[in-house]
Amino acid sequence: MTAPTTTAPRRAEFRTRDPAEARELLDTLYGGHLEVDAPRDARWLLDLRTVDPGPFTSCDLTLPADITFDVHGRDDVVIGTVVRGAIGLERRQSTDRYAPGDVYIAVHPRSTDVSRTHEARARTVTLPQTLLADVARGATAPGGRWQFTAMQPDPADTARWRRTTRFVDDLLAEPETAASPLLLGPAARLLAATALAAFPNTLLPDPRPADRTD
């Protein structure tokens, strides 16, 4: 019997005090064009750690001082969890503010938002649209274009998302586990399924007001 091929996830760490480098990095990761709202000082340090096992990407991002950047839609969906500080998103018809512990959709295919952060640290998970649509097909038959209809989950789903990401982070922390496609594939689908259950969308019928369970 042939053993499954194992490939270690790509891991990267990046730190910079240069706004130009920070601008380029945010543009690559989130489609963001950076503007600096505060003068640089000793606190001005962008710190990024990423783990990319293939089906999804997990990032730990610390943003310096107060910054503003435009967020433009892309093919992937980025879900953020605020660890420290404050993050605001100015959307087309509303302004949403997020505090430590909050979970929110940071980037989605139709994003045309402005993000303003204050001494912020966030964990983000990037999920391809194709993965989300494929997982949804197991529950319903989605049509063509689809979208999220809410950018923040209710408290129960917020807690569920945080538990799920902690579980996946624990998997990625173990080198042998992180290199196993037999585990990474289900982990990616678990993240996608949890995202679809947490954030109302047009791929799946919204089960509310019925009570949802894990």
Side-chain angles (χ1 to χ4, degrees):
M1 179 180 296
T2 302
T5 301
T6 60
T7 303
R10 295 183 294 275
R11 300 177 188 269
E13 295 186 14
F14 183 85
R15 306 181 83 198
T16 184
R17 296 185 184 277
D18 184 346
E21 291 183 345
R23 181 182 298 113
E24 182 178 353
L25 178 67
L26 289 173
D27 190 26
T28 300
L29 284 175
Y30 307 117
H33 300 288
L34 178 69
E35 298 176 12
V36 179
D37 277 351
R40 279 195 298 167
D41 56 25
R43 299 173 303 158
W44 215 104
L45 175 66
L46 184 144
D47 192 333
L48 172 72
R49 300 165 192 236
T50 67
V51 182
D52 181 2
F56 61 94
T57 304
S58 176
C59 295
D60 187 332
L61 176 65
T62 299
L63 295 165
D66 297 336
I67 66 172
T68 298
F69 55 96
D70 297 331
V71 179
H72 299 289
R74 42 190 263 172
D75 290 339
D76 298 331
V77 173
V78 181
I79 299 175
T81 302
V82 182
V83 178
R84 184 178 67 239
I87 296 176
L89 273 176
E90 297 177 5
R91 307 186 191 272
R92 291 179 181 177
Q93 298 178 343
S94 66
T95 298
D96 301 318
R97 304 186 188 283
Y98 305 108
D102 286 343
V103 173
Y104 66 102
I105 293 179
V107 184
H108 59 90
R110 280 161 287 283
S111 294
T112 54
D113 310 328
V114 176
S115 179
R116 302 184 189 277
T117 69
H118 173 68
E119 300 290 351
R121 178 185 172 196
R123 302 294 300 272
T124 67
V125 173
T126 301
L127 300 169
Q129 273 202 89
T130 52
L131 173 63
L132 291 161
D134 183 58
V135 169
R137 289 190 186 96
T140 188
R145 293 186 61 182
W146 63 277
Q147 62 184 349
F148 288 103
T149 56
M151 298 294 106
Q152 187 172 15
D154 61 30
D157 283 320
T158 294
R160 183 176 298 116
W161 175 258
R162 292 201 303 257
R163 290 196 302 270
T164 301
T165 53
R166 283 197 298 268
F167 171 73
V168 174
D169 284 343
D170 287 343
L171 290 180
L172 295 176
E174 295 290 337
E176 292 185 2
T177 301
S180 171
L182 293 177
L183 294 173
L184 288 178
R189 296 182 71 84
L190 174 62
L191 286 169
T194 305
L196 290 168
F199 296 92
N201 58 81
T202 58
L203 274 174
L204 297 177
D206 188 351
R208 290 177 289 187
D211 187 25
R212 285 177 283 179
T213 60
D214 287 339

